[in-house]
Amino acid sequence: MAVKNKNLKFRIDVSAYRLLGRELITDRITALFELVKNAYDANANKVDVIFHSVNTNTGESKISITDDGLGMTLDDLRNKWMVIGTSDKRRSRVSPPPYNRKVVGKKGVGRFAVDKLGSKLLLKTTQKGSDKLICLETDWSYYAELEEKQLKIDFERNPDQEQFFTDIENRYWVEASDVETQGTSLEISLISECWTETDLKRASTELAKLISPNHASKFPLKIFLQSNEFEVYRKKEIVSLGIQYSTIEASLNFNFKTGKQEILRAENGELTKVLVDKRACGYIKLHIYYFNASAKAKFKKAFPSESIDGIKVYRDGLIATPFAEHAVSQNEQKDLLGIDKRRWSYFFDRVGTRDLLGWVEISDELNPEIVDATNRQNFVDNEAWRELRVFVIEQLRQIEGCIIQRRDTQKEQVDSELKGAGDDLSTIRKELNRLGKLAPEKMRKTLGVLEKKVAKTQASVNKGLKDKINLETEKKQQESLMFSLISLQTFSSTLAHITRTIIGRIKRTSEFFRDRFPDTQYNDVFKRGAHKIFFEMERLSGAVDFMLKYAKSDSSIEPVDVKITLENLFNNIHDYSFKQENIQTELIVKKELILNYNQTAFEDIIENLIDNSVKALVCNRETRRIKCECNIENDKLIILFSDNGCGIKEADKFRIFDVFYTTTADEGGAGMGLFIIKTRMEAFQGSIELVESIFKPSGATFKLSFSFKK
Amino acid sequence: MKSQSTIIIIDDQVQDEELLIVIKENYADVIVYNSSTEAIKNLSRHYGHRIIILLDLSFPTNQINGHQVLERIRESNTLIPVIIFSAVNENESGFSDLINNSAFGFLKRDASLKQILDMLQKAEFFLKTSIGGALEEWIKTHSEEELDRPYLVSVDGNNFTLKELLSEVRLQTEVGQSFSKSLSKLTIDLLARGRENLND
């Protein structure tokens, strides 16, 4: 059958108004945002958001949004406002001079936000120099009616004559206008929901977040909220919230010329800045404020309607759409940056979104790859957005480090003060005793009582100090136990895997023996089988020995034979995985070395390094190598541990020792390894650092230094 | 008598001499692939035979893992019974995709020879009795010449030879499924009319 070429075109069903408005823009405060954003793009200086009799829904209820922006001509209205997804704003990314605002509406659907607020819209617009005020009326309820009608089953209906979205005509007319005025006003009636005072308060708080307080502009946009019903909102200017009372604050910038980005470093309870290469997310400006419990209380008292609600992303000074989605309660607020998702928050002194206020400043020009997802709920999941999240979390980690350092210093101070108090009391007691001997009879008795009281107080102070120290030691032990358990978990699952494989081999070999022996044709098989059983049993014994060491106490310091320990790890314990992954190992220990250390901790460190190297070697398709070399330098054991795997990116160098920082999540990395090593090393006055790879240009080399002293 | 099914073992570390001996005693053909990547490359050439696959899950990281092997097999063939033979904990998340990709069974790495043979036997029984298997058997009774001749014309006017039909059935396409369905309907109909002997 011959088929003739014909053409078909897309048509749009009337229900599209719902998809674009009510369903794309999920709540009414977001809808307000969208409309105010349009005003921003039109170079408005001022937007009035007026709520008229909205507390109860009557025929009088109206919401209007009026700006003094550039306005539209009839042509604009026809070719821009009435065109869905109009490309105009995408073509010119900057609003007309002298404002040069980065335009924020890009999808050309913001105007459908109106439908979320009410079903009837009266738009009036005029430009400077024109004496015409153009008025357009859109009645979304008409679209709804039509949709309803089309949904009904009607056998008589003729699909070809049905009206589509674009067939519906909206009435417009022209009124007279002052030549000098300009702007656009949207009057929305037949409102869909009532607005209470709480709703207005929310609208006001949320609108305040629209513009970043840190983005300096010569032409700011002022937003006013008005209501005829609520006294507070007679005419309220919406101002961005002032930051006061924060415990820690930090601002990061970048240097475009040198290609460097600032990041935070915590040192001795202070935050400093370090310059690193630009990250994959592009240049970032960040303002971040941390509030501890008492700071939060002060803040809440000073700004009762504001809340400390985390870090938000602003693009060119204006809040990025995914963050503009308003949530009714803080619990429902989306944690797009993943701040609260981090595990064990109570354990590792995590800060959460409720302790933080922050502004991440990005721009269209410098961070073009960070793009809103079409549903406006999130950003497109790409490398840039992921890297931005990592960047923010990385800074938070430094703040956390700073908090811990400060607390530790404070703790030491308290300890020494307590001890000082105890000493003072002892002096007073001695003094009282001496005075007692000199004083007359009558006074001696009183002095004796006093001395006893002082003695008692001294005892309590000393006991308190001791209890405190005990408690801290206990807490430290718990933490260290936690770390061993985590590595134990990974270890035991590997061990179970190996054990099961070994048991299977032994079982089947002996089963064969049981069922077939004697049988001359299998004599050789029987003999090989016996050898195999013996060999596999030896391997099992080794695994059990290793497992048992974990059961031993964790804190004792004992002589560790470096050579034997390393040989055991390389040639027995990990031999299996090295062979499986085709990894060539080279272990250089010149002579026998005894280190006063903790056996398990030492093994843990090397285990974790081996583990990391195996993961890093995945990408290497050539000869895979791991080299471990021991040397002695000035009373110190230096271990250089290297592999020729994928190496560590320049950008990652500062953060590889952070807990839960991982680049090998796909290979099962949890970001614990290097953190465990670092804490273990530091606990014994050792250190670990990343040095130049001996396998350069690829690979990585870690330099570990252990002290021989006890 | 040895079974005519082919057992394909995909495992990077079969060191079990005894296992191979007992399987070879029971099955005419045993093929071992030590590399999963190699297996995937060559597997389709065995699809013409009645095969059962014994599959390990963990392979060196530069090869594709067992889950992916199963996925690849299922992309082109939904009839072959694949038995997972692994030391991986069954509760691990990856196990769910074994269900999604319908693994025939699961053998722990420490299973005995008997358990392994039993599982293979079950798989063979399944092959012989399932509609797909029976259909495959029946299609295979035709001569080469018959196989290349158009055999069936589908509703939308396409011609299918028996060979093409077999591939449609294996891939479980719409045509393959509807053909299998009609065939079982016909079988029931014939049985209901008292014509027990299907060769009549």
Side-chain angles (χ1 to χ4, degrees):
Chain A
M1 188 182 86
V3 181
K4 229 169 137 189
N5 275 332
K6 282 183 184 171
N7 298 317
L8 288 173
K9 58 181 182 183
F10 284 107
R11 286 184 295 185
I12 303 164
D13 190 79
V14 280
S15 68
Y17 80 96
R18 255 191 318 110
L19 299 176
L20 293 167
R22 224 174 284 170
E23 286 173 14
L24 193 62
I25 290 153
T26 48
D27 82 297
R28 46 190 177 157
I29 289 171
T30 313
L32 272 184
F33 262 46
E34 292 297 324
L35 298 172
V36 173
K37 274 184 182 178
N38 279 347
Y40 177 85
D41 289 346
N43 279 359
N45 295 314
K46 177 174 159 249
V47 185
D48 282 307
V49 181
I50 303 163
F51 290 87
H52 183 80
S53 307
V54 290
N55 201 10
T56 44
N57 199 345
T58 65
E60 294 287 293
S61 306
K62 266 189 300 198
I63 301 168
S64 72
I65 294 146
T66 309
D67 70 51
D68 60 353
L70 295 168
M72 287 180 274
T73 62
L74 186 56
D75 263 359
D76 287 341
L77 204 59
R78 185 178 291 128
N79 299 327
K80 290 174 187 166
W81 178 267
M82 298 300 290
V83 178
I84 298 169
T86 175
S87 61
D88 183 54
K89 284 189 189 172
R90 265 170 289 151
R91 222 173 299 139
S92 66
R93 315 202 84 180
V94 185
S95 76
Y99 286 63
N100 296 321
R101 286 178 181 163
K102 294 278 162 56
V103 297
V104 286
K106 267 177 229 158
K107 301 208 165 60
V109 293
R111 68 208 75 139
F112 294 96
V114 168
D115 174 52
K116 189 83 199 169
L117 299 172
S119 47
K120 199 167 173 184
L121 167 72
L122 177 61
L123 177 146
K124 293 184 175 180
T125 183
T126 182
Q127 290 198 321
K128 203 168 243 177
S130 159
D131 59 354
K132 291 188 179 96
L133 180 71
I134 300 150
C135 309
L136 170 82
E137 197 178 65
T138 308
D139 190 348
W140 298 112
S141 62
Y142 177 63
Y143 288 73
E145 261 168 48
L146 209 60
E147 187 194 6
E148 186 72 13
K149 219 161 45 188
Q150 291 180 1
L151 277 175
K152 285 201 185 113
I153 298 167
D154 178 5
F155 293 102
E156 296 296 306
R157 80 177 200 196
N158 179 355
D160 284 343
Q161 280 174 12
E162 230 160 55
Q163 269 191 304
F164 285 93
F165 187 73
T166 45
D167 296 334
I168 298 168
E169 288 177 351
N170 297 280
R171 197 170 70 90
Y172 83 88
W173 65 93
V174 177
E175 291 175 9
S177 153
D178 187 345
V179 187
E180 280 306 302
T181 53
Q182 64 167 28
T184 302
S185 89
L186 306 170
E187 188 185 292
I188 301 154
S189 51
L190 300 176
I191 61 165
S192 45
E193 285 164 279
C194 300
W195 293 68
T196 63
E197 190 168 357
T198 331
D199 293 333
L200 289 197
K201 189 174 135 189
R202 251 187 245 139
S204 151
T205 317
E206 294 297 314
L207 283 171
K209 290 178 190 151
L210 197 57
I211 295 161
S212 161
N214 309 298
H215 195 82
S217 168
K218 255 194 261 172
F219 306 100
L221 172 71
K222 289 191 170 178
I223 307 168
F224 293 92
L225 194 76
Q226 289 180 49
S227 152
N228 62 335
E229 287 160 301
F230 310 111
E231 197 47 47
V232 196
Y233 300 105
R234 277 278 167 241
K235 180 152 185 159
K236 190 193 177 198
E237 184 180 354
I238 296 188
V239 280
S240 188
L241 101 132
I243 310 299
Q244 280 176 46
Y245 310 116
S246 67
T247 322
I248 293 177
E249 65 168 276
S251 294
L252 291 177
N253 212 326
F254 56 81
N255 189 329
F256 187 71
K257 272 186 203 145
T258 56
K260 295 285 183 192
Q261 168 75 49
E262 286 179 350
I263 61 166
L264 291 175
R265 290 273 95 188
E267 256 169 62
N268 308 322
E270 292 303 324
L271 285 172
T272 55
K273 289 176 214 169
V274 184
L275 285 171
V276 294
D277 287 348
K278 182 183 88 163
R279 299 277 166 85
C281 50
Y283 297 106
I284 306 288
K285 271 189 195 171
L286 176 71
H287 303 268
I288 206 163
Y289 300 85
Y290 163 76
F291 297 80
N292 67 13
S294 68
K296 261 195 264 187
K298 271 188 214 154
F299 180 91
K300 276 196 182 132
K301 210 171 162 194
F303 310 100
S305 65
E306 315 288 4
S307 53
I308 297 173
D309 58 356
I311 299 173
K312 297 187 176 65
V313 177
Y314 286 74
R315 187 184 273 117
D316 297 301
L318 207 71
I319 195 159
T321 316
F323 282 92
E325 293 278 336
H326 168 256
V328 179
S329 83
Q330 245 188 333
N331 287 331
E332 287 163 32
Q333 208 156 326
K334 279 168 294 169
D335 183 19
L336 297 178
L337 288 162
I339 294 168
D340 291 337
K341 278 185 204 115
R342 296 176 300 155
R343 295 174 287 177
W344 297 310
S345 58
Y346 56 95
F347 208 92
F348 295 114
D349 305 285
R350 281 292 125 87
V351 299
T353 46
R354 281 151 195 240
D355 316 316
L356 295 165
L357 263 176
W359 286 260
V360 178
E361 310 268 352
I362 59 170
S363 69
D364 249 8
E365 200 182 325
L366 296 173
N367 318 83
E369 278 163 50
I370 300 174
V371 192
D372 301 352
T374 345
N375 69 2
R376 305 178 158 232
Q377 311 280 320
N378 207 331
F379 293 88
V380 173
D381 183 28
N382 55 20
E383 199 200 344
W385 167 240
R386 273 191 292 254
E387 183 62 29
L388 177 68
R389 277 161 56 187
V390 169
F391 178 84
V392 172
I393 300 286
E394 188 188 339
Q395 309 317 315
L396 291 187
R397 220 160 261 160
Q398 294 305 320
I399 290 178
E400 284 155 5
C402 176
I403 296 166
I404 295 168
Q405 288 162 1
R406 282 188 190 180
R407 209 186 38 209
D408 285 350
T409 326
Q410 212 173 18
K411 207 156 56 187
E412 275 165 33
Q413 217 170 350
V414 171
D415 283 356
S416 88
E417 272 168 20
L418 267 175
K419 204 178 164 295
D423 293 346
D424 285 351
L425 285 170
S426 162
T427 321
I428 292 170
R429 212 179 122 196
K430 271 181 206 150
E431 204 60 18
L432 280 172
N433 191 292
R434 199 176 58 83
L435 272 174
K437 279 173 193 153
L438 298 173
E441 188 70 30
K442 251 187 172 175
M443 253 176 97
R444 201 174 291 166
K445 212 174 172 186
T446 326
L447 281 173
V449 177
L450 267 179
E451 194 197 325
K452 265 182 200 150
K453 273 194 179 159
V454 170
K456 220 172 154 188
T457 318
Q458 190 192 1
S460 337
V461 168
N462 284 343
K463 189 174 176 295
L465 184 64
K466 218 164 132 190
D467 284 353
K468 185 174 174 288
I469 289 168
N470 284 344
L471 209 70
E472 271 162 18
T473 324
E474 203 175 304
K475 194 178 160 231
K476 270 231 170 77
Q477 276 170 346
Q478 278 170 352
E479 278 176 28
S480 126
L481 182 71
M482 171 88 177
F483 286 131
S484 341
L485 283 181
I486 290 164
S487 45
L488 188 63
Q489 214 171 35
T490 357
F491 174 70
S492 62
S493 87
T494 325
L495 197 79
H497 188 273
I498 295 169
T499 317
R500 183 163 271 176
T501 310
I502 295 176
I503 291 177
R505 283 186 195 142
I506 298 172
K507 200 174 183 176
R508 289 185 294 270
T509 306
S510 54
E511 188 184 9
F512 186 81
F513 216 94
R514 184 193 68 191
D515 297 344
R516 310 293 172 99
F517 186 82
D519 186 334
T520 45
Q521 66 162 321
Y522 289 133
N523 269 352
D524 285 348
V525 180
F526 292 142
K527 190 158 188 188
R528 280 197 294 271
H531 277 289
K532 193 161 72 185
I533 290 176
F534 184 78
F535 172 75
E536 298 289 358
M537 284 296 193
E538 285 268 83
R539 291 215 310 167
L540 264 186
S541 306
V544 170
D545 284 345
F546 195 72
M547 199 66 191
L548 272 177
K549 260 189 306 204
Y550 271 91
K552 274 211 273 178
S553 141
D554 195 28
S555 52
S556 63
I557 295 201
E558 62 217 326
V560 176
D561 189 316
V562 175
K563 194 170 185 205
I564 290 180
T565 309
L566 288 176
E567 278 173 355
N568 183 40
L569 284 170
F570 271 84
N571 303 334
N572 294 327
I573 311 290
H574 286 279
D575 190 40
Y576 174 81
S577 52
F578 288 150
K579 285 212 174 99
Q580 193 172 22
E581 299 287 335
N582 285 321
I583 296 169
Q584 292 180 10
T585 59
E586 193 181 350
L587 178 64
I588 304 171
V589 194
K590 286 200 184 101
K591 55 181 177 183
E592 284 180 16
L593 293 166
I594 303 293
L595 197 63
N596 279 304
Y597 210 71
N598 177 284
Q599 180 79 29
T600 321
F602 183 72
E603 278 170 4
D604 243 24
I605 290 166
I606 305 298
E607 284 265 315
N608 276 306
L609 285 172
I610 291 177
D611 218 48
N612 281 344
S613 290
V614 171
K615 281 174 197 152
L617 283 164
V618 168
C619 57
N620 187 342
R621 306 256 163 208
E622 323 262 293
T623 317
R624 299 172 169 182
R625 295 173 67 187
I626 293 180
K627 185 176 177 183
C628 177
E629 191 178 356
C630 299
N631 283 309
I632 295 169
E633 271 175 30
N634 314 324
D635 276 0
K636 277 186 176 152
L637 167 67
I638 304 292
I639 298 180
L640 285 179
F641 195 102
S642 319
D643 65 60
N644 65 343
C646 52
I648 289 156
K649 270 188 273 170
E650 187 63 35
D652 291 336
K653 278 188 177 162
F654 282 106
R655 50 189 174 185
I656 46 170
F657 293 108
D658 287 351
V659 65
F660 301 133
Y661 182 78
T662 180
T663 55
T664 58
D666 292 343
E667 282 83 44
M672 289 293 301
L674 286 171
F675 177 74
I676 290 177
I677 297 174
K678 193 163 181 264
T679 34
R680 287 241 191 276
M681 301 276 312
E682 281 169 358
F684 294 95
Q685 275 84 48
S687 67
I688 176 165
E689 59 181 320
L690 185 70
V691 294
E692 197 179 33
S693 167
I694 61 162
F695 293 116
K696 68 182 173 179
S698 72
T701 299
F702 285 98
K703 180 179 171 186
L704 289 78
S705 96
F706 296 86
S707 170
F708 277 115
K709 286 179 207 146
K710 281 197 184 182
Chain B
M1 201 193 82
K2 281 190 187 182
S3 152
Q4 292 309 304
S5 300
T6 302
I7 306 294
I8 295 177
I9 302 176
I10 308 175
D11 191 334
D12 65 317
Q13 37 167 331
V14 186
Q15 293 165 19
D16 269 40
E17 202 181 355
E18 296 85 0
L19 178 63
L20 286 179
I21 292 172
V22 294
I23 294 180
K24 277 178 184 160
E25 281 173 355
N26 290 282
Y27 295 87
D29 207 1
V30 182
I31 298 163
V32 178
Y33 288 106
N34 289 125
S35 136
S36 56
T37 319
E38 197 66 17
I40 280 297
K41 254 191 239 160
N42 295 298
L43 218 49
S44 60
R45 71 163 74 139
H46 305 293
Y47 285 177
H49 302 109
R50 198 164 70 200
I51 59 174
I52 299 168
I53 295 174
L54 201 60
L55 173 68
D56 185 17
L57 287 185
S58 43
F59 287 90
T61 35
N62 58 356
Q63 295 182 22
I64 63 170
N65 68 32
H67 299 291
Q68 292 162 316
V69 173
L70 182 58
E71 234 174 80
R72 297 276 186 88
I73 295 173
R74 288 297 176 243
E75 274 165 21
S76 58
N77 196 312
T78 53
L79 297 176
I80 298 171
V82 177
I83 300 163
I84 306 296
F85 183 39
S86 166
V88 172
N89 191 343
E90 291 136 84
N91 294 328
E92 272 174 31
S93 57
F95 193 58
S96 66
D97 88 39
L98 297 181
I99 294 170
N100 294 339
N101 287 310
S102 53
F104 179 78
F106 193 98
L107 280 170
K108 279 189 230 163
R109 201 79 207 178
D110 53 3
S112 67
L113 293 173
K114 190 171 177 307
Q115 284 168 327
I116 297 172
L117 284 179
D118 285 351
M119 184 68 92
L120 288 175
Q121 220 166 33
K122 254 196 228 167
E124 191 166 21
F125 184 73
F126 161 81
L127 266 186
K128 281 181 179 164
T129 52
S130 69
I131 286 191
L135 185 64
E136 218 179 310
E137 285 287 294
W138 175 75
I139 288 174
K140 272 161 68 184
T141 58
H142 292 73
S143 70
E144 273 298 311
E145 207 179 303
E146 282 171 307
L147 289 180
D148 289 332
R149 213 180 298 146
Y151 184 83
L152 187 102
V153 181
S154 72
V155 199
D156 48 2
N158 286 320
N159 280 321
F160 289 94
T161 66
L162 273 180
K163 263 187 183 169
E164 282 162 348
L165 205 55
L166 179 60
S167 129
E168 296 289 315
V169 170
R170 277 181 178 148
L171 293 166
Q172 298 280 285
T173 60
E174 220 171 293
V175 175
Q177 279 181 1
S178 90
F179 181 72
S180 305
K181 242 184 233 169
S182 322
L183 198 70
S184 43
K185 265 190 202 160
L186 179 66
T187 313
I188 293 166
D189 190 49
L190 287 173
L191 287 170
R193 292 186 207 184
R195 300 183 58 180
E196 291 86 353
N197 195 339
L198 293 177
N199 290 330
D200 282 358

